Amino acid sequence: QVQLVESGGGLVQAGGSLRLSCTASGSILSIKAMGWFRQAPGKERELVASISWSGVTTGYADSVKGRFTISRDNAKNTVYLQMNSLNVEDTADYYCAAHPWGKTSPRNAQEYDYWGQGTQVTVSP
């Protein structure tokens, strides 16, 4: 079992920045990759960024590429999402999730077995 706790959400003006954190506990060795998802009202949950536990491989949605950066600190069992140049379209609930060994691809929500409780990001004009 893996437990995930997110923090760092809040209210920010367009053009500003936020840094989200996700700390993992439990069966850390079962984690193949971590992902950040977001879900806005009336929209499906979408993958924002992913990172292998080793940190070698990363991926980003086209909408955030160049603005968001995913990273991890394995010593702290923590994954971060640095969000810069935020715009109103980034407003959503953000979730971190753990992709375990045995799954095929960390590109869809169904490939992640463990989820945090979510943290809200609101970007004002």
Side-chain angles (χ1 to χ4, degrees):
Q1 186 69 264
V2 175
Q3 295 81 43
L4 305 173
V5 179
E6 304 107 325
S7 63
L11 175 65
V12 64
Q13 289 187 322
S17 299
L18 285 174
R19 184 179 179 87
L20 306 183
S21 299
C22 174
T23 299
S25 61
S27 186
I28 303 300
L29 294 177
S30 69
I31 300 175
K32 181 180 180 180
M34 296 288 293
W36 283 99
F37 291 79
R38 68 184 181 187
Q39 187 166 26
K43 301 189 69 175
E44 294 185 351
R45 187 171 297 185
E46 64 173 345
L47 178 66
V48 176
S50 62
I51 185 170
S52 63
W53 194 247
S54 68
V56 173
T57 303
T58 59
Y60 297 92
D62 288 342
S63 60
V64 306
K65 195 171 299 181
R67 300 189 297 121
F68 291 10
T69 302
I70 188 170
S71 62
R72 94 278 188 264
D73 184 342
N74 283 8
K76 298 180 180 179
N77 294 328
T78 299
V79 177
Y80 304 95
L81 185 67
Q82 179 67 45
M83 304 185 295
N84 298 325
S85 301
L86 287 162
N87 57 61
V88 295
E89 295 180 351
D90 297 316
T91 295
D93 291 328
Y94 284 73
Y95 301 85
C96 68
H99 173 77
W101 290 102
K103 297 293 186 177
T104 302
S105 177
R107 303 181 69 86
N108 300 109
Q110 65 184 9
E111 298 293 328
Y112 291 78
D113 284 357
Y114 308 103
W115 295 82
Q117 82 286 355
T119 186
Q120 188 174 42
V121 173
T122 302
V123 184
S124 62

